[in-house]
Amino acid sequence: MNRGKGCLWMVSLLVAWLFTGVPTVDGQDDDLFFQQARQKMVDRQIRARGVRHQAVVEAMANVPRHRFVPQPLQTMAYVDHPLLIGHEQTISQPYIVAKMSELLDVGPGQKVLEVGTGSGYQAAVLAHMGADVYSIEIIPALGQRARKTLAGLGYRRVHVAIGDGYLGWPDHAPFDGIIVTCAPSHIPQPLQDQLAEGGRLVIPVGPAGKRQELVLLRKVDGKIQKEKVFPVRFVPMKNEKGVNY
Ligand code: SAH
């Protein structure tokens, strides 16, 4: 983004915030300010960077991202950055959510596993694409909040469990797609095992705070094909004792 435009954007956010106040989370408001911010996000961050998948673009244009971030940050929800959601965790940058959804390429009626519910936003985007989403979060307070947010917005296709997603969700396996939004140092075997034939697994892999790669895995004739996408930075995947995988 050019610097002048970036400044203008920040100033307009500030002005909008001063004049409208901070909207309430429990109100049903998705007013003009947020709709315009979301459309700009789709044009300048998603489409401008080459995401063409129609269902992804449509989901990003419709899911109210501001409802998934803490109230004081709502007016910042559509900026080109990840944001803090509490408990040292983040909601991913909009482009990363779009790119990972495009790589996953799921459609109506397909079953998806998400590891790392966080705010619930990524799960809502996949549900908007028509997928049935089974999402696991290891921090109980985040999982419970995401459940409430998703229910409040009417996303009935998303099921949230509290637990360690390294192990997957065997009761609902196999999955047509698996998306992981926290980074382990290696690709968990249970997730590879729970992938359906023809399914896709999108996962950041690498050490905490260091270089990680986004990896796309496909299961073809029972065998795993692996492709690196680009470098990324995600929060680490941890076990229930808080130790990084
Ligand atoms: N997809 C989220 C972003 C989540 S950030 C969103 O759209 O907002 C990554 C999340 O992974 C954090 O909430 C973190 O607590 C969670 N996490 C880390 N290790 C995990 C594990 N082993 N199982 C499930 N969730 C885990």
Side-chain angles (χ1 to χ4, degrees):
M1 186 192 305
N2 104 20
R3 263 186 81 200
K5 272 194 184 161
C7 280
L8 202 67
W9 176 230
M10 290 308 288
V11 169
S12 56
L13 269 178
L14 188 65
V15 170
W17 183 74
L18 286 173
F19 282 94
T20 59
V22 179
T24 54
V25 182
D26 48 14
Q28 291 304 308
D29 57 308
D30 182 22
D31 62 20
L32 202 58
F33 169 74
F34 288 121
Q35 283 173 31
Q36 286 175 345
R38 192 158 59 242
Q39 195 50 54
K40 273 186 200 157
M41 170 194 84
V42 168
D43 294 342
R44 297 178 185 179
Q45 301 173 37
I46 311 299
R47 290 209 306 204
R49 294 191 186 127
V51 174
R52 292 283 175 265
H53 194 297
Q54 196 49 41
V56 173
V57 172
E58 219 165 86
M60 299 296 293
N62 280 285
V63 177
R65 180 173 164 94
H66 61 283
R67 300 285 296 275
F68 293 85
V69 307
Q71 199 188 325
L73 294 181
Q74 284 199 340
T75 50
M76 300 284 287
Y78 297 96
V79 299
D80 198 8
H81 290 288
L83 292 172
L84 290 168
I85 55 170
H87 304 268
E88 295 170 25
Q89 306 303 323
T90 54
I91 178 174
S92 302
Q93 180 187 10
Y95 170 68
I96 294 293
V97 173
K99 186 69 195 177
M100 289 175 81
S101 306
E102 182 171 65
L103 290 168
L104 204 61
D105 190 24
V106 285
Q110 290 197 305
K111 213 165 19 159
V112 174
L113 172 69
E114 180 190 31
V115 178
T117 315
S119 68
Y121 176 67
Q122 172 75 74
V125 168
L126 297 171
H128 201 282
M129 292 167 68
D132 291 312
V133 185
Y134 293 84
S135 185
I136 309 180
E137 171 56 51
I138 204 161
I139 299 178
L142 284 180
Q144 283 150 12
R145 192 171 69 193
R147 234 184 230 147
K148 243 181 161 175
T149 309
L150 289 159
L153 290 166
Y155 287 102
R156 288 185 193 83
R157 290 176 173 281
V158 185
H159 311 273
V160 178
I162 312 291
D164 184 351
Y166 182 95
L167 306 168
W169 195 333
D171 289 353
H172 292 286
F175 297 96
D176 302 302
I178 301 180
I179 182 168
V180 182
T181 64
C182 46
S185 59
H186 57 278
I187 300 168
Q189 190 60 46
L191 301 186
Q192 300 185 48
D193 295 343
Q194 290 174 34
L195 198 59
E197 173 63 27
R200 291 161 161 249
L201 165 58
V202 180
I203 180 169
V205 186
K210 298 219 177 90
R211 192 187 164 85
Q212 302 162 353
E213 286 283 344
L214 190 62
V215 175
L216 169 64
L217 263 72
R218 287 191 195 88
K219 196 178 260 188
V220 181
D221 299 328
K223 291 201 191 89
I224 296 286
Q225 298 177 351
K226 200 165 137 188
E227 184 187 314
K228 285 185 180 173
V229 183
F230 50 55
V232 285
R233 187 173 276 221
F234 276 80
V235 295
M237 184 187 282
K238 293 179 186 259
N239 67 16
E240 273 163 348
K241 292 190 178 120
V243 179
N244 293 351
Y245 276 113

